[in-house]
Amino acid sequence: MAANRYDAIVIGGGHNGLIAAAYLARAGRKVVVLERRERVGGAAVTEEIFPGFKFSMFSYVVSLLRPEIIRDLRLPEHGLQILPLESTLTPMENGDYFAAWADHDQTRRELLRHSALDAEAYDEYGRLMYHMAHAVKPILGMVPPDPASLRPRDLKGMLAVGNHFRSLGAEQFHAMFKLMTMSSADFLDEWFETDVLKATKSASGIIGTFLGPRSPGTAYVLLHHYMGELDGVFRAWGFQKGGTGGISEAIAASARSLGVAIRCGQTVQKVREKDGRVRGVVLENGDEIDANIVLTSLDPRRSFLELVDRKALPDEFVADISRFKFRGSSGKVNLALGALPDFTCMPGFGPHLRGAMSISPSMDYVERAYDDAKYGEFSKRPYMDIVIPSLIDPGMAPPGKHVMSVFVQYAPYNLNGGWTDAKREAFGDAVIGAIERFAPNIRSCIEHRQVLTPLDIERITGLSEGNIFQGELALHQLFFLRPAPGWARFRTPIRNYYQCGSGTHPGGGIMGASGRLGAMAVLEDHA
Amino acid sequence: MEGANWRRWAGYTVASSYELLHDREYHAIRSSAALLDVTPLYKYLVTGKDAARLVDRVIVRDALHARVGQVMYTCWCDSAGKVIDDGTVSRLGDETFRITSADPSLRWFALNAAGLHAKIEDVTESTAALALQGPNARAILQQLTGADLAHLKYFRVVSTTLRDMPVQISRTGYTGDLGYEIWLHAHDALAIWDALIEAGTPYGIVPCGMLGLDMARIEAGLMLLEVDYVSAHRALIEGQKSSPYELNLGWAVDLKKEWFVGKDALALEAARGPAWRFIGIEVDWENLERLYAEVKLPPRLPAQAWRVSVPLYVEGRQVGYATSGCWSPLLKKYIALGHVEAAYGNPGSRLAMEVTVEHRRKQAAATVVPTPFFNPDRKRA
């Protein structure tokens, strides 16, 4: 049946799947995207959970959406509108605070209040991280070469990476080595003395991982924050108007304008394969769709251990994918507010409420939050990243009311005794209790609340173990090891079955690079 | 407010930005609502039996047939057909017009009033003007006035009250977005500002200075006197002057009118075609990125709008100059407005714009594109 035959099928209508489809259609291919849910977006969706209150239900800020994708897919014309999130306020246990403002000099003055030394070091640290990010950035846009391979293409790639690193100069090379190996706590200790500053900075190194700020390897993730800054004016860091679902909608609109068919409510049950080549997919309702190319934007576990006949895959590959770590560690609490929270450290309304509020008062606080998780409990006093999107985009809530997004870490997927409704509510209560210590009026502001555990995230979005990055962003799962040694180049052991989700290099966040690079791999093989 | 920085505007000081950085103010224009004090605009009231005839004699558009409640964007020229200024003309009554301008214009209107029963009054000081611009502008303003804003069409004005204070509200602005300008007695200005802030706070209203406005007006393709063109009254040499056709304002020139200042020269030029065109330019990103990559830097773009003359080339020969430009955070494009020899002014024409990359002059590829760069449906809807 001609209507069910395409050049390529993309499984999953999250941002990466949509981006891959759009790039393929742009190259003239007839493409269909199959999405299990009734709406596109995956974890980048806006939903009106309570009447009048709209939430970026899961992913709540956009950080690294690649500028070339914004341009190639003409996303601003299709509705991309990113509003800056300008500041970060960290309330401290002693009633003081640390604030980082949009204006660099203002932040420097604020730091001066805490430590004259740190105020000096801040500039220097910023410069170094900028250089580091600049050094690492080209790698993000590149298909990762495999250092263990002797194929000319990989050798050439490694040579390019090697030359690139050699060009850094000794100081930067050493810093890079430290970033790759140290814990964020140790790395920051080399630079700063203000605990609250280090705690807030290190928190960005643990998001989406099952690691604490004192775990080795977390320093590298600090860099990610500076990557966004390189794009400077592209300002891909902030809040999408209408919520993150607006980004997915913009990509979907672009894809449709390029001719992509997007079918929602269609669950793929199996990828059809014959003689080592992909043939199409079978849907849950029994329908078959034919295509000689299939891309999966799902995570590696679903893509290989669920959708594909195991016999079609080499044993060592299956073993590698089985070992790929998910370990969802974060939850989300979405609050509908009748009034604004009043922070003891900075009372009343002010610009601080329009930025992020980081509940990371000290390094010990964040590490203790991890301690709970390490032994299978949710953090009694969790690290939280809070934003109030309705102050940036008033359309998110009824006039005068607000929505508050609370990203919470840690909430382990494998909770002792498993997640139950009662434990979900207890987790929600712990979150509110932890906020209340810094904003005592929070309880009276809340009109509705939604609590999402990693199990809920998995159930709704399909992300295995509720890991927001489709697999931990830990060093041993990055670059040429993502998702498995030898298979980081978007191909798979099954011919014409491709990966394009965050479970591949470079992975994570609303970046879109995986979707684009996956499509590029297809176009390279099928020119 | 955290620390305004000030600039001169027509002898007044206005805020460049109310916050340390203008970013949020700019984004408010495109995302929620921005409140701007545009009081320093020159404002003139023309009244009397021959008011319409006087206005019609001066401006290039048809004022005689303008309906009460209509607002016209227009320019006016000297007798050689060169533009002196541009602004809006509102017909407030059968015999009452209000004109806004960027330069003092009392003398020019008075000179042209010879023999007519019309009075020209400078109301710049006594009339304040606030611009409320952005997608939420209507929702905010409607709370404060009985006028039916849903039916106030684009470029229409209505006399009404705002919290019992007499005002005129026009569906106009300098941002190319949904927006209104409120014309009021200067002594009511503070009360009305406060009322707007109060009603607008749940809708994300933000006081906005000139830096944010400058980016929005470039996105809207709106030109600025003394930045994008030189008034015929101020030009030192002939080459500095421009006709309406050369400023992309040919659509406004009504040659069917019996007579207006500059008509004869403009009729000739309309037949001949203009020597210059005023255009929108989009800088090619990949090319700019490459120029910076040559010196191992990521592209560096202006954080605010620039207002200097920048050469434009075709095949190495200078064919024009850009006069203002900015990075559009909304469109994610580096855009500029400029003048080129007419042959190079068609949309799609390829140009090169001079850019300074790490102290060295380079040429970045660019394309002529239609303006406005940004033109949302809500502007007119």
Side-chain angles (χ1 to χ4, degrees):
Chain A
M1 197 166 71
N4 262 352
R5 163 129 221 125
Y6 292 87
D7 295 333
I9 296 167
V10 178
I11 306 172
H15 67 285
N16 274 312
L18 294 168
I19 286 168
Y23 270 95
L24 292 176
R26 198 164 163 259
R29 304 303 195 278
K30 190 183 168 207
V31 190
V32 65
V33 176
L34 302 174
E35 167 57 40
R36 180 178 58 91
R37 294 190 74 202
E38 291 302 331
R39 62 176 81 217
V40 295
V45 287
T46 304
E47 299 195 20
E48 192 170 327
I49 301 168
F50 310 108
F53 294 91
K54 294 178 203 142
F55 292 88
S56 296
M57 196 149 134
F58 306 102
S59 175
Y60 58 101
V61 287
V62 50
S63 54
L64 299 161
L65 185 60
R66 301 292 308 144
E68 63 268 21
I69 295 172
I70 295 177
R71 286 194 306 276
D72 290 346
L73 302 185
R74 308 163 80 94
L75 296 184
E77 289 166 41
H78 292 286
L80 183 81
Q81 188 174 358
I82 296 169
L83 305 168
L85 264 172
E86 295 185 331
S87 61
T88 303
L89 175 79
T90 309
M92 293 161 65
E93 308 266 7
N94 65 2
D96 197 358
Y97 61 87
F98 169 69
W101 302 105
D103 186 76
H104 179 85
D105 294 316
Q106 202 183 5
T107 306
R108 208 176 156 278
R109 280 178 43 216
E110 158 70 1
L111 251 181
L112 207 54
R113 223 165 50 80
H114 297 273
S115 155
L117 278 176
D118 285 2
E120 294 293 317
Y122 191 70
D123 282 349
E124 213 181 312
Y125 174 83
R127 266 196 303 276
L128 178 76
M129 293 302 266
Y130 181 87
H131 285 302
M132 292 288 96
H134 192 205
V136 171
K137 187 141 201 188
I139 296 167
L140 290 186
M142 148 183 195
V143 176
D146 184 348
S149 155
L150 292 176
R151 274 179 302 191
R153 166 205 179 102
D154 285 317
L155 288 175
K156 210 172 135 212
M158 280 315 288
L159 195 67
V161 173
N163 282 337
H164 186 65
F165 281 109
R166 255 211 311 280
S167 73
L168 292 182
E171 189 206 3
Q172 288 177 29
F173 182 81
H174 296 150
M176 179 66 78
F177 196 78
K178 286 181 174 180
L179 269 178
M180 294 289 192
T181 52
M182 290 174 88
S183 71
S184 56
D186 285 345
F187 187 79
L188 289 164
D189 277 343
E190 293 196 349
W191 284 92
F192 303 110
E193 60 182 12
T194 307
D195 189 52
V196 62
L197 168 71
K198 288 186 283 190
T200 303
K201 282 203 171 290
S202 73
S204 67
I206 53 158
I207 286 177
T209 70
F210 201 81
L211 298 167
R214 293 189 176 122
S215 310
T218 46
Y220 168 78
V221 193
L222 293 173
L223 255 193
H224 270 244
H225 265 240
Y226 286 85
M227 304 261 184
E229 280 184 28
L230 279 191
D231 288 324
V233 289
F234 259 94
R235 271 291 174 113
W237 208 89
F239 179 81
Q240 161 70 27
K241 187 168 169 63
T244 36
I247 299 174
S248 307
E249 295 298 338
I251 301 167
S254 170
R256 282 193 196 98
S257 76
L258 292 162
V260 172
I262 298 175
R263 295 204 213 159
C264 289
Q266 309 253 299
T267 306
V268 174
Q269 192 179 43
K270 218 65 190 168
V271 172
R272 282 160 49 221
E273 162 272 335
K274 201 180 164 204
D275 305 329
R277 277 173 179 269
V278 84
R279 299 291 173 186
V281 299
V282 186
L283 301 181
E284 210 172 53
N285 63 13
D287 286 359
E288 298 197 357
I289 303 176
D290 299 327
N292 290 332
I293 296 166
V294 175
L295 295 88
T296 170
S297 65
L298 310 190
D299 66 54
R301 182 180 292 174
R302 295 206 186 270
S303 297
F304 300 111
L305 304 185
E306 290 180 16
L307 291 184
V308 173
D309 197 345
R310 234 174 238 225
K311 290 196 294 292
L313 299 168
D315 290 344
E316 65 273 25
F317 179 76
V318 172
D320 282 333
I321 296 295
S322 307
R323 282 195 292 261
F324 192 68
K325 282 190 170 45
F326 289 92
R327 302 196 296 185
S329 57
S330 35
K332 182 90 188 286
V333 175
N334 293 316
L335 299 174
L337 302 182
L340 285 168
D342 196 12
F343 281 84
T344 312
C345 66
M346 210 180 261
F349 181 79
H352 60 288
L353 294 178
R354 292 194 301 258
M357 283 141 282
S358 178
I359 305 299
S360 50
S362 68
M363 202 58 112
D364 283 349
Y365 178 100
V366 182
E367 186 68 20
R368 278 204 190 98
Y370 176 54
D371 286 346
D372 290 337
K374 222 163 23 179
Y375 302 110
E377 302 294 335
F378 59 75
S379 309
K380 274 163 222 71
R381 287 182 178 172
Y383 157 67
M384 289 174 279
D385 187 38
I386 302 173
V387 291
I388 307 176
S390 48
L391 282 174
I392 304 163
D393 177 6
M396 299 296 286
K401 302 201 173 194
H402 293 282
V403 287
M404 184 161 167
S405 155
V406 187
F407 171 88
V408 193
Q409 200 155 326
Y410 300 78
Y413 176 79
N414 290 308
L415 194 71
N416 289 337
W419 283 102
T420 60
D421 286 350
K423 280 190 185 162
R424 182 197 294 116
E425 292 317 308
F427 169 59
D429 292 343
V431 167
I432 303 303
I435 299 173
E436 198 170 32
R437 297 176 63 227
F438 302 102
N441 72 332
I442 185 72
R443 234 173 256 275
S444 63
C445 303
I446 300 173
E447 293 190 357
H448 310 278
R449 90 175 186 195
Q450 180 196 43
V451 183
L452 296 166
T453 69
L455 192 69
D456 298 319
I457 295 173
E458 179 183 63
R459 205 156 39 203
I460 300 169
T461 65
L463 289 165
S464 291
E465 297 187 21
N467 185 288
I468 59 174
F469 293 141
Q470 288 200 352
E472 258 185 278
L473 273 192
L475 266 183
H476 63 276
Q477 301 199 149
L478 287 177
F479 206 42
F480 53 84
L481 297 175
R482 192 169 184 88
W487 298 103
R489 291 175 44 234
F490 308 96
R491 280 84 174 171
T492 71
I494 298 172
R495 203 145 166 218
N496 296 341
Y497 185 41
Y498 292 87
Q499 322 168 60
C500 65
S502 293
T504 63
H505 170 81
I510 306 179
M511 190 189 308
S514 295
R516 175 173 171 271
L517 291 173
M520 296 297 170
V522 172
L523 295 172
E524 193 181 297
D525 294 351
H526 302 269
Chain B
M1 295 301 154
E2 281 125 8
N5 53 91
W6 304 97
R7 62 168 63 192
R8 299 152 47 234
W9 180 9
Y12 297 86
T13 43
V14 291
S16 295
S17 69
Y18 290 90
E19 300 183 3
L20 290 184
L21 302 174
H22 62 278
D23 300 42
R24 205 171 72 85
E25 302 176 10
Y26 157 80
H27 281 288
I29 295 173
R30 296 297 182 225
S31 168
S32 49
L35 184 58
L36 302 104
D37 180 3
V38 293
T39 302
L41 270 175
Y42 290 101
K43 298 173 282 285
Y44 303 96
L45 212 54
V46 181
T47 51
K49 188 161 65 71
D50 292 331
R53 286 180 63 198
L54 168 58
V55 174
D56 193 65
R57 192 185 268 195
V58 175
I59 70 173
V60 299
R61 290 184 72 176
D62 182 353
L64 287 179
H65 297 96
R67 284 191 299 198
V68 174
Q70 189 178 342
V71 185
M72 293 184 290
Y73 172 67
T74 185
C75 64
W76 46 98
C77 299
D78 66 7
S79 57
K82 302 296 183 185
V83 177
I84 296 167
D85 203 342
D86 65 304
T88 57
V89 174
S90 308
R91 188 160 201 173
L92 302 176
D94 282 333
E95 298 184 355
T96 308
F97 288 80
R98 180 174 49 231
I99 296 162
T100 64
S101 65
D103 256 356
S105 305
L106 187 68
R107 189 167 166 271
W108 183 247
F109 277 86
L111 281 173
N112 284 287
L116 297 178
H117 292 282
K119 187 176 131 202
I120 310 124
E121 191 185 347
D122 185 339
V123 292
T124 305
E125 287 264 344
S126 57
T127 307
L130 298 175
L132 179 63
Q133 304 280 306
N136 291 349
R138 183 182 298 150
I140 293 167
L141 196 51
Q142 190 65 77
Q143 298 174 71
L144 300 172
T145 177
D148 178 10
L149 297 179
H151 291 99
L152 181 65
K153 286 197 236 161
Y154 190 50
F155 270 87
R156 291 289 186 279
V157 61
V158 61
S159 292
T160 177
T161 57
L162 196 154
R163 288 231 173 121
D164 298 327
M165 292 170 273
V167 297
Q168 283 117 26
I169 295 174
S170 60
R171 176 98 178 259
T172 50
Y174 199 46
T175 64
D177 216 302
L178 171 64
Y180 300 89
E181 286 170 312
I182 305 153
W183 312 88
L184 48 131
H185 292 303
H187 53 76
D188 290 332
L190 291 180
I192 288 183
W193 174 280
D194 289 343
L196 287 164
I197 292 288
E198 186 193 314
T201 296
Y203 293 87
I205 198 169
V206 173
C208 175
M210 295 300 115
L211 292 172
L213 178 64
D214 212 13
M215 290 165 71
R217 70 100 188 164
I218 293 172
E219 289 175 341
L222 299 171
M223 61 185 188
L224 181 57
L225 182 71
E226 299 306 318
V227 170
D228 295 301
Y229 74 101
V230 179
S231 167
H233 281 169
R234 290 182 181 240
L236 298 171
I237 51 175
E238 205 55 34
Q240 291 177 333
K241 299 176 183 175
S242 301
S243 77
Y245 298 103
E246 292 171 336
L247 293 178
N248 202 16
L249 285 175
W251 59 271
V253 181
D254 189 348
L255 291 174
K256 292 195 290 292
K257 269 167 52 166
E258 191 187 321
W259 190 80
F260 61 94
V261 182
K263 183 186 173 188
D264 298 345
L266 290 175
L268 279 176
E269 184 171 333
R272 192 175 60 227
W276 290 84
R277 306 264 296 268
F278 188 65
I279 55 160
I281 301 159
E282 190 182 313
V283 178
D284 182 274
W285 180 262
E286 274 83 6
N287 186 258
L288 189 69
E289 204 166 36
R290 211 155 36 239
L291 294 177
Y292 276 92
E294 283 168 12
V295 292
K296 302 196 174 359
L297 282 174
R300 212 167 281 178
L301 288 174
Q304 60 190 57
W306 47 260
R307 298 173 161 193
V308 289
S309 180
V310 172
L312 298 171
Y313 300 91
V314 169
E315 288 165 5
R317 187 178 80 82
Q318 186 172 353
V319 298
Y321 51 98
T323 45
S324 41
C326 70
W327 169 256
S328 165
L330 183 76
L331 304 170
K332 306 288 181 212
K333 287 174 178 170
Y334 188 10
I335 56 176
L337 297 170
H339 305 257
V340 287
E341 293 169 16
Y344 304 100
N346 293 322
S349 287
R350 302 285 291 160
L351 302 167
M353 186 173 88
E354 184 174 293
V355 289
T356 306
V357 177
E358 201 57 12
H359 320 299
R360 287 175 205 283
R361 289 180 186 185
K362 303 278 178 188
Q363 291 181 15
T367 309
V368 177
V369 296
T371 55
F373 298 99
F374 178 65
N375 195 17
D377 293 338
R378 62 180 180 247
K379 179 174 87 177
R380 292 166 173 278

